[in-house]
């Protein structure tokens, strides 16, 4: 007996048209974001890369200089100091922010009274105006009449640090302000990760006789490694791009004590009008961040646990 209707072949034209329509609908959803990325991020990056190989002051004709801008960086003492300051800032900010955020998250994950209020208080600096945060920190650490130095003098410290007015203490002061402002945001990420750890793991550890520290060391820390990896990536990239906090607190000073690479890029481009040279600095910063991010992703498998329970 023959059937009147043939079974549809998986590659028939009607099926292909249906698949194509579904794909076009899916692409239409990501198209606005893709266009925004291409226009406002990809094209400026490509333009900046090309500009790094030229000399241009924004008014006269662009002239091709090849790799000369990159060669000039080797003799630029401000670039060298800015690179050192950037690494100093990243090296101080990233680990201390992660430690403070994790400590706060563990503390505020406990059933203590008013913990929602404390979570809000610690998160508030992240959403507060950065200018207000910087001004408040400068007032607190004002060398001659700030509350911090008044407190230190009351304790018997005859010559307290001059904080943001001192070449030696300016960068630690900026790092402390950055940690205080950002730790609330990363605390929220750690809190979400902590609440996703199955309680059965802690119960099994308790049966094995583990104390509080051993539970934290062998249960909490491994289960938080995906969140720790994400935070390390985001915090490292954000720290390399620091600009606004330093601009308001110290403007790169005193001297060049807090002048970072983004600050040097800004000054070179918009105060000295050396757009080609500033693009070369920006390309070095981009390459530095990209290399460190690749290294972080390469080492991910060695310490990040993606356990499926």
């Amino acid at each position: 007996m023959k059937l009147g209707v043939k079974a549809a072949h998986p590659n028939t034209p009607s099926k292909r048209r249906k698949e194509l329509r579904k794909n076009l609908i899916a692409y239409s959803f990501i198209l606005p974001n893709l266009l925004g990325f291409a226009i406002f991020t990809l094209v400026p990056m490509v333009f900046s890369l090309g500009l790094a190989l030229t000399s241009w002051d924004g008014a006269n004709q662009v002239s091709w200089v090849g790799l000369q801008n990159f060669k000039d960086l080797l003799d630029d003492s401000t670039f060298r100091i800015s690179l050192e300051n950037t690494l100093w800032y990243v090296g101080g900010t990233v680990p201390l922010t992660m430690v403070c955020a994790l400590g706060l998250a563990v503390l505020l994950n406990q059933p203590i009274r008013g913990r929602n209020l404390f979570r809000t208080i610690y998160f508030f600096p992240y959403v507060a105006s950065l200018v207000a945060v910087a001004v408040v920190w400068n007032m607190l650490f004002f060398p001659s009449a700030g509350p911090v130095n008044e407190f230190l003098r009351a304790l018997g410290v005859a010559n307290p640090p001059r904080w943001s007015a001192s070449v030696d203490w300016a960068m630690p002061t900026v790092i402390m302000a950055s940690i205080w402002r950002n730790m609330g945001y990363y605390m929220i990420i750690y809190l979400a990760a902590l609440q996703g750890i199955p309680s059965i793991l802690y119960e099994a550890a308790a049966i094995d006789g583990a104390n509080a520290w051993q539970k934290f060391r062998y249960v909490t820390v491994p289960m938080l490694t995906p969140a720790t990896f994400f935070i390390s990536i985001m915090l490292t990239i954000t720290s390399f791009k620091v600009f606004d906090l330093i601009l308001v607190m110290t403007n790169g000073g005193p001297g060049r004590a807090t002048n970072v690479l983004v600050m040097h890029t800004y000054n070179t481009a918009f105060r000295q009008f050396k757009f080609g040279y500033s693009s070369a600095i920006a390309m070095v910063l981009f390459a530095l961040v990209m290399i460190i991010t690749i290294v972080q992703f390469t080492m991910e498998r060695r310490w990040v646990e993606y356990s499926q329970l």
Side-chain angles (χ1 to χ4, degrees), residues 138-147 149-150 153 160-163 165:
N138 275 342
M139 292 176 62
L140 289 173
F141 288 88
F142 194 71
S144 59
N149 276 3
E150 290 293 333
R153 290 190 186 95
R162 293 182 57 78
W163 303 112

Side-chain angles (χ1 to χ4, degrees), residues 14-74:
S14 61
K15 189 172 182 63
R16 287 198 295 270
R17 284 196 295 272
K18 188 176 179 180
E19 290 293 327
L20 178 61
R21 187 166 57 251
K22 288 171 62 178
N23 291 335
L24 289 177
I25 292 174
Y27 288 135
S28 68
F29 282 106
I30 64 173
L31 183 62
N33 187 45
L34 190 62
L35 286 175
F37 171 77
I39 294 173
F40 297 109
T41 302
L42 184 61
V43 172
M45 285 181 62
V46 174
F47 180 74
S48 180
L49 177 60
L51 200 59
L53 305 175
T54 67
S55 177
W56 187 42
D57 60 3
N60 298 306
Q61 191 174 5
V62 178
S63 59
W64 176 266
V65 296
L67 298 176
Q68 187 59 44
N69 286 329
F70 295 96
K71 294 179 181 177
D72 292 342
L73 289 177
L74 300 176

